[in-house]
Amino acid sequence: LPGGCLCCARREALGVALADLLLRVRRGEIRPFVRVVIETSGLADPAPILRGLLGDPALMAAFELDGVVTLVDAVHGAPTLASQPETRAQVALADRLLLTKTDVADATTVEMLTAQLAALNPLAAIEPVTHGAIDAARLFGVRVRDEAATVAEVERWLSARGFVNLRGGAPDPNR
């Protein structure tokens, strides 16, 4: 991506980059790929990113959104959730939450944070991670919501922030 960061680059740059990948495969410039992993910075708001992907019919015809995986630091998660709205959006829109540093956080902190995460997103699986070891299988095949539910959730977050909805119209005040 231009600038190297999804958060700093224009949002449409992701769609352009994905379309370019497909074109390069068709031309034989690169080998076909099985998946694309989009990793954002720790404070990226996933709603506009998901909006860009789910709101583009051509991209959705070529790519399938497997799911959103969010890592939450068990030691610093509660204060970060309290001070950074982007982290709440990350948790609310995740399909799977990986609770990292559970080996260094005390049990009470982990228990309270797990309850907070479950309250923010009762649909996401919450899985502890110890010593930074994450089985790659836990990162893929995570889809638990259907596309319509994800679109509705993203639109709610965007509407709360005054953005237009995925269909390009004004935010729906009833969502």
Side-chain angles (χ1 to χ4, degrees):
L1 294 174
C5 176
L6 183 58
C7 306
C8 302
R10 297 180 340 266
R11 297 276 189 244
E12 63 272 6
L14 176 60
V16 171
L18 291 172
D20 182 59
L21 279 175
L22 291 173
L23 182 61
R24 292 173 62 200
V25 168
R26 287 186 191 117
R27 289 182 183 160
E29 296 171 11
I30 60 174
R31 293 186 329 200
F33 47 86
V34 175
R35 68 177 48 98
V36 175
V37 176
I38 301 168
E39 180 183 8
T40 64
S41 70
L43 289 178
D45 185 342
I49 298 165
L50 287 167
R51 175 184 183 223
L53 294 172
L54 296 171
D56 186 326
L59 279 181
M60 292 311 295
F63 293 95
E64 177 182 334
L65 178 64
D66 179 55
V68 176
V69 177
T70 298
L71 280 67
V72 179
D73 183 317
V75 176
H76 302 287
T80 305
L81 284 167
S83 65
Q84 301 294 330
E86 296 87 356
T87 59
R88 292 188 296 278
Q90 289 175 359
V91 168
L93 294 173
D95 295 303
R96 178 166 296 155
L97 296 165
L98 299 178
L99 191 54
T100 65
K101 299 185 185 175
T102 56
D103 51 310
V104 294
D106 66 79
T108 302
T109 300
V110 171
E111 185 178 312
M112 289 174 38
L113 181 57
T114 300
Q116 186 178 8
L117 296 173
L120 280 169
N121 185 344
L123 297 177
I126 302 172
E127 300 183 26
V129 175
T130 57
H131 301 288
I134 301 172
D135 179 5
R138 294 166 67 190
L139 302 176
F140 304 110
V142 299
R143 192 79 177 137
V144 295
R145 299 187 218 192
D146 65 22
E147 184 178 311
T150 302
V151 168
E153 189 66 24
V154 168
E155 285 184 351
R156 272 192 287 280
W157 276 94
L158 291 169
S159 179
R161 291 168 173 79
F163 291 100
V164 296
N165 66 30
L166 287 173
R167 291 174 295 282
D172 181 348
N174 298 319
R175 289 191 165 202

